[in-house]
């Protein structure tokens, strides 16, 4: 029997989901539901937009207004939805490949524009849906089916990217640290502006297997053992930070939001 | 407009006026010659009528935002030219399968690639039909004057809303940039069609089920309180992904047939000097302006020549062309490309008349003299 939270927020008749056994996307999806529930949003006004990939199948399971778009374009579709109807609480669920490779341009421009969209990245460091190719967040020297000799490319830090591009709220959580993740998601969702939460997720089937990361539980434990909160970063040396995942808040500022500015413009022409 | 207005304006301007008259409330675009004035004028005018304009970061985002806006219930449009039309194709296919109404203006310029950005062409005609992957329904219109651009933009919105599908307005650089007299009718004289929406209290709403006596499924807007999902995956009548082969076949047939079964409503055309013609020139857009001049001169010289001008390019006016074949023995297809729509005409004619082609792709329009010469050559 699904929990009350699941029944109130997910389309239970669409479950079980298509994700592999041991994938932690489900933990991230549940955390989003929990944050929405905690904030008491009117669910008829919540709109989840997603792209293509494992993460993006989330929209089909969530019982709000849901839009499953094309690869990389979720933020661009969401921009149209939000500007057309600013009363909607628009969120994007995307993956590391979807939002930082094919959709990278939309990500940085939505951040620059500071449009009120909460973007939640299920970051599993791999293209899972297509079978384990390296993505822009695959660490150097890690393996993927298209990096059979190890990844030669330097990865993106999606949080730093979004922050530099102008996002007003940026945070990273993991699917191990669920309660703190829910809190980060809540803060992102109530931010009036472009907010991004990079959610470290696990792909035992492809990333894990290719890189000998062990069982699904071991992959989650890796998050427990190898994360450092942003608040502690300044106190640590470069060596102590090496290969660590920084979690917590990266940026939290307040700036005028795009659709608010547009509505002001329209108001000036009324009457 | 409360009173009829006589104005001098260019085609791109008339396009925006037509869109606003049709009820456009959203424009998402990206600058590209020779369509940019459509963006510029939309940016200026939309906020004055409570509408929204956004310049997106690229062409793909322009169509994506346009589709997103349409899903909230706003009549939406984007405009582009060849290179941008290529970039938009994936999301155009999305809107076709997910049945999201919007208008896509393609101001055709010389191509391929960057080509001749300030020169006219009609070389995206086959791209309009086949540009996006997979089988899909296509409606494409082509005006030949500033005034007709106004009216066909309204028609494009009406057809998009009626059939829940993207509609192409295929302009060319000359129609888009030339300035002509235009009479803007009183708003009450215009026929405007709005999408059919579900009843407010419809608790059994299925986003992709066609109720009895409906052309398409009623379309709910995000935020209206209906539970529905939109996807570019093959989907069931609720809108959820489905790999069921029977379902896929049913859905594909339905989206194709909503256009194919309503060709009489969608297809529009103009015939001049057709009655006793044994030879016709078939031309659309700017080329039809040269063609009518050539046909008139040919008539003065005693040739039984007529002009057939489709204003709906896709679906093609197959029935009407077949009807002409009773008397017509020769058809000259004139178009600003190296042989595109002529292929469709040859398919329709199927050997029942001789088909000749007059084309050009050097950035100049086809002149009346060139068409007249072709007429006298084939007669």
């Amino acid at each position: 029997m699904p929990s009350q939270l699941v029944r109130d927020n997910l389309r239970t008749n669409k479950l079980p989901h298509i994700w592999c056994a041991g994938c932690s996307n489900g933990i991230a999806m549940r955390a989003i539901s929990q944050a929405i529930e905690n904030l008491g949003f009117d669910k008829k006004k919540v709109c989840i937009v997603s792209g293509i990939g494992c993460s993006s199948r989330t929209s089909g399971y969530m019982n709000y207004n849901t839009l499953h778009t094309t690869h990389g374009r979720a933020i661009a579709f969401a921009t149209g939805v939000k500007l057309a109807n600013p009363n909607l609480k628009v969120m994007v669920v995307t993956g590391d490949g979807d939002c930082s490779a094919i959709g990278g341009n939309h990500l940085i421009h939505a951040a620059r524009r500071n449009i009120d969209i909460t973007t939640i990245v299920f970051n599993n460091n791999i293209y899972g849906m297509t079978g384990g190719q390296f993505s822009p967040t695959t660490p150097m020297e890690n393996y993927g089916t298209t990096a059979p000799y190890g990844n030669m490319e330097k990865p993106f830090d999606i949080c730093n990217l979004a922050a530099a591009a102008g996002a007003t709220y940026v945070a990273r959580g993991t699917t191990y640290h669920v309660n703190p993740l829910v809190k980060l998601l809540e803060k992102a969702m109530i931010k009036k502006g472009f907010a991004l939460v990079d959610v470290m997720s696990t792909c035992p089937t492809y990333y894990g297997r290719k890189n000998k990361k062990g069982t699904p539980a071991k992959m989650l434990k890796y998050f427990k053992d190898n994360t450092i909160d942003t608040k502690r970063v300044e106190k640590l040396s470069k060596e102590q930070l090496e290969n660590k995942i920084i979690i917590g808040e990266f940026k939290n500022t307040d700036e005028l939001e795009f659709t608010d500015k547009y509505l002001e413009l329209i108001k000036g022409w009324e009457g | 407009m409360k009173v009829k207005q006589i104005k001098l304006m260019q085609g791109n301007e008339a396009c925006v006026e037509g869109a606003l008259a049709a009820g456009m409330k959203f424009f998402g675009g990206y600058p590209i010659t020779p369509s940019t004035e459509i963006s510029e004028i939309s940016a200026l005018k939309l906020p004055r009528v409570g509408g929204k304009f956004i310049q997106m970061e690229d062409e793909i985002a322009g169509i994506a935002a346009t589709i997103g806006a349409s899903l909230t219930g706003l009549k939406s449009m984007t405009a582009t030219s060849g290179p941008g039309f290529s970039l938009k194709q994936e999301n155009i296919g999305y809107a076709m399968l997910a049945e999201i109404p919007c208008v896509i203006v393609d101001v055709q310029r010389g191509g391929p690639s960057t080509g001749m950005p300030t020169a006219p062409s009609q070389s995206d005609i086959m791209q309009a039909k086949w540009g996006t992957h997979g089988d899909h329904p296509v409606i494409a219109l082509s005006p030949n004057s500033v005034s007709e651009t106004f009216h066909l933009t309204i028609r494009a919105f009406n057809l998009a809303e009626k059939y829940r599908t993207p509609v192409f307005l295929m302009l060319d650089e000359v129609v888009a940039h030339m300035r002509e007299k235009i009479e803007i009718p009183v708003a009450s004289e215009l026929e405007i069609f709005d999408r059919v929406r579900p009843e407010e209290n419809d608790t059994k709403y299925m986003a992709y089920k066609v109720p009895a006596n409906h052309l398409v499924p009623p379309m709910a807007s995000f935020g209206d309180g209906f539970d529905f999902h939109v996807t570019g995956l093959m989907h069931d009548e609720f809108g959820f992904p489905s790999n069921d082969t029977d379902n896929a076949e049913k859905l594909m047939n339905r989206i194709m047939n909503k256009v194919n079964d309503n060709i009489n409503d969608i297809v529009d055309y103009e015939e001049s000097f057709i009655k006793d013609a044994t030879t016709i020139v078939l031309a659309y857009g700017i080329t039809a302006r040269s063609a009518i001049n050539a046909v008139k001169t040919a008539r003065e010289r005693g040739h039984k020549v007529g002009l057939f001008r489709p204003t709906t390019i896709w679906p093609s006016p197959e029935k009407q062309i077949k009807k002409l074949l009773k008397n017509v023995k020769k058809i000259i297809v004139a178009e600003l490309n190296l042989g595109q729509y002529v292929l469709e005409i040859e398919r329709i004619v199927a050997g029942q008349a001789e088909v000749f082609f007059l084309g050009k792709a050097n950035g100049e329009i086809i002149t009346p003299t060139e068409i007249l010469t072709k007429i006298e050559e084939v007669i």
Side-chain angles (χ1 to χ4, degrees):
Chain A
M1 183 73 180
S3 68
Q4 191 66 37
L5 178 75
V6 167
R7 275 181 282 152
D8 289 350
N9 291 275
L10 301 187
R11 291 166 173 144
T12 49
N13 62 339
K14 298 294 156 199
L15 299 173
H17 53 61
I18 63 159
W19 296 317
C20 302
C23 168
S24 59
N25 282 354
I27 298 172
M29 178 165 75
R30 188 197 179 282
I32 296 172
S33 312
Q34 186 71 64
I36 289 171
E37 197 66 46
N38 292 354
L39 292 169
F41 284 154
D42 176 357
K43 287 165 198 166
K44 300 288 182 198
K45 300 290 177 198
V46 173
C47 180
I48 304 269
V49 186
S50 67
I52 294 292
C54 297
S55 61
S56 292
R57 295 302 285 259
T58 302
S59 61
Y61 305 124
M62 303 201 91
N63 201 11
Y64 319 115
N65 301 278
T66 55
L67 176 61
H68 179 220
T69 69
T70 49
H71 195 21
R73 316 304 170 197
I75 292 174
F77 277 79
T79 298
V81 172
K82 182 66 191 182
L83 178 57
N85 185 355
N87 293 324
L88 293 173
K89 183 70 222 166
V90 180
M91 303 185 202
V92 167
V93 176
T94 176
D96 41 307
D98 195 52
C99 96
S100 74
I102 189 166
N105 201 31
H106 310 308
L107 170 67
I108 58 172
H109 286 278
R112 173 184 63 81
R113 203 175 274 130
N114 193 32
I115 186 164
D116 185 21
I117 294 172
T118 306
T119 295
I120 302 152
V121 188
F122 291 6
N123 184 352
N124 59 6
N125 311 101
I126 204 89
Y127 286 92
M129 185 71 91
T130 45
Q133 299 76 30
F134 74 96
S135 86
T137 64
T138 304
M140 291 263 275
E141 290 158 23
N142 272 202
Y143 295 98
T145 54
T146 48
Y149 309 110
N151 179 21
M152 290 176 270
E153 301 180 12
K154 202 165 72 174
F156 265 144
D157 181 316
I158 292 178
C159 289
N160 287 338
L161 180 67
T168 44
Y169 185 86
V170 180
R172 180 178 291 124
T174 84
T175 44
Y176 173 82
H177 306 86
V178 176
N179 289 338
L181 174 63
V182 172
K183 292 291 160 226
L184 295 172
L185 288 169
E186 283 177 29
K187 288 177 87 172
M189 287 176 192
I190 56 169
K191 171 62 64 181
K192 182 78 183 177
F194 189 81
L196 179 138
V197 181
D198 187 24
V199 182
M200 298 310 297
S201 180
T202 55
C203 174
T205 303
Y206 292 111
Y207 179 72
R209 202 161 51 177
K210 272 274 163 201
N211 292 287
K212 300 191 172 24
K213 297 284 182 189
T215 63
K218 201 174 165 198
M219 287 183 77
L220 282 175
K221 191 164 177 294
Y222 181 86
F223 291 154
K224 181 187 178 213
D225 298 336
N226 292 281
T227 44
I228 291 172
D229 196 278
T230 47
K231 292 184 202 113
R232 289 186 55 220
V233 166
E234 278 183 16
K235 295 170 194 151
L236 299 174
S237 69
K238 210 178 160 189
E239 288 72 33
Q240 285 171 306
L241 289 171
E242 206 179 324
N243 295 325
K244 299 291 181 199
I245 299 168
I246 313 294
I247 58 171
E249 269 181 21
F250 282 64
K251 189 175 174 185
N252 188 356
T253 58
D254 289 302
E255 282 175 40
L256 276 177
E257 190 273 332
F258 176 73
T259 60
D260 273 353
K261 284 191 262 184
Y262 208 96
L263 290 178
E264 275 299 307
L265 170 67
I266 290 177
K267 216 185 270 173
W269 285 99
E270 276 169 3
Chain B
M1 300 290 164
K2 288 202 179 96
V3 287
K4 182 176 87 176
Q5 291 191 316
I6 308 285
K7 288 198 164 182
L8 178 73
M9 63 171 73
Q10 63 166 212
N12 279 344
E13 198 176 349
C15 175
V16 181
E17 292 299 336
L20 292 170
M24 172 176 72
K25 284 289 184 292
F26 189 95
F27 184 97
Y30 185 79
I32 185 168
T33 304
S35 77
T36 308
E37 293 86 357
I38 298 174
S39 272
E40 291 171 340
I41 301 163
S42 295
L44 185 71
K45 296 207 165 178
L46 271 172
R48 301 184 188 192
V49 296
K52 319 275 173 65
F53 166 88
I54 188 165
Q55 180 170 306
M56 293 300 286
E57 52 275 10
D58 59 33
E59 292 279 0
I60 299 169
I63 178 77
T66 300
I67 296 168
S70 182
L71 277 161
T72 72
L74 302 192
K75 289 188 181 180
S76 305
M77 182 167 92
T78 186
T80 188
S81 182
F85 197 44
S86 296
L87 286 164
K88 290 186 193 302
Q89 291 296 334
E90 186 197 5
N91 282 341
I92 289 171
Y94 179 90
M96 286 167 172
L97 183 62
E99 298 183 84
I100 301 162
C102 57
V103 173
I104 297 140
V105 186
D106 176 19
V107 185
Q108 296 166 92
R109 67 193 221 186
S113 189
T114 311
M116 299 172 85
T118 58
S121 91
Q122 295 174 312
S123 53
D124 301 349
I125 291 302
M126 278 299 176
Q127 192 183 13
K129 175 80 172 155
W130 297 115
T132 194
H133 58 277
D135 295 300
H136 46 269
V138 176
I139 301 176
L141 313 178
S142 168
N144 75 342
S145 70
V146 169
S147 172
E148 196 172 71
T149 299
F150 175 85
H151 290 284
L152 286 194
T153 307
I154 295 173
R155 188 153 196 268
F157 272 97
N158 286 348
L159 291 170
E161 294 283 314
K162 188 170 180 180
Y163 293 100
R164 276 195 69 171
T165 195
V167 172
F168 300 124
L169 184 72
M170 306 300 287
L171 301 183
D172 55 68
E173 189 275 336
V174 177
V175 168
H177 280 159
M178 71 179 171
R179 288 176 194 277
E180 288 187 302
K181 179 180 134 179
I182 172 175
E183 191 180 302
I184 297 189
V186 180
S188 59
E189 286 174 9
L190 298 168
E191 194 191 335
I192 305 297
F193 192 94
D194 295 332
R195 70 190 66 173
V196 175
R197 294 167 193 267
E199 300 290 334
E200 241 172 79
N201 50 3
D202 185 356
T203 50
K204 294 199 172 92
Y205 176 64
M206 289 164 76
Y208 289 93
K209 186 177 170 60
V210 186
N213 306 319
H214 281 64
L215 277 170
V216 293
M219 187 170 169
S221 302
F222 283 155
D224 278 359
F226 292 95
D227 169 23
F228 68 107
H229 182 59
V230 179
T231 179
L233 285 166
M234 216 54 91
H235 44 272
D236 60 22
E237 289 182 326
F238 291 96
F240 291 101
S242 165
N243 270 335
D244 182 89
T245 50
D246 289 342
N247 176 74
E249 189 175 335
K250 201 172 140 197
L251 174 59
M252 283 304 297
N253 285 334
R254 185 172 70 68
I255 65 167
M256 297 304 282
N257 290 342
K258 69 182 176 183
V259 171
N260 292 338
D261 293 346
N262 293 289
I263 286 203
N264 288 344
D265 180 45
I266 299 166
V267 164
D268 208 357
Y269 57 94
E270 186 186 71
E271 293 175 328
S272 313
F273 308 104
I274 285 288
K275 217 174 168 190
D276 63 342
T278 52
T279 298
I280 60 163
V281 178
L282 189 147
Y284 53 90
I286 189 60
T287 309
R289 299 286 288 267
S290 293
I292 190 64
N293 186 300
V295 165
K296 281 179 182 167
T297 312
R299 280 275 163 184
E300 282 164 15
R301 295 183 185 179
H303 305 308
K304 287 186 175 172
V305 181
L307 172 69
F308 186 89
R309 180 171 76 88
T311 50
T312 307
I313 299 289
W314 304 114
S316 59
E318 185 160 353
K319 201 172 76 182
Q320 289 75 19
I321 291 168
K322 281 193 169 140
K323 209 172 122 197
L324 291 176
L325 296 177
K326 259 194 279 175
N327 296 326
V328 171
K329 301 297 165 221
K330 290 170 180 176
I331 300 177
I332 300 165
V333 179
E335 53 182 337
L336 268 186
N337 57 55
L338 297 181
Q340 295 194 18
Y341 206 54
V342 66
L343 300 173
E344 174 70 358
I345 305 306
E346 282 171 348
R347 183 191 69 78
I348 293 166
V349 170
Q352 300 299 300
E354 276 187 276
V355 177
F356 302 90
F357 175 66
L358 177 63
K360 211 182 217 185
N362 67 353
E364 285 182 332
I365 62 164
I366 301 175
T367 64
T369 311
E370 285 168 323
I371 296 174
L372 184 62
T373 305
K374 190 76 180 176
I375 292 169
E376 296 196 318
E377 187 187 304
V378 308
I379 248 168

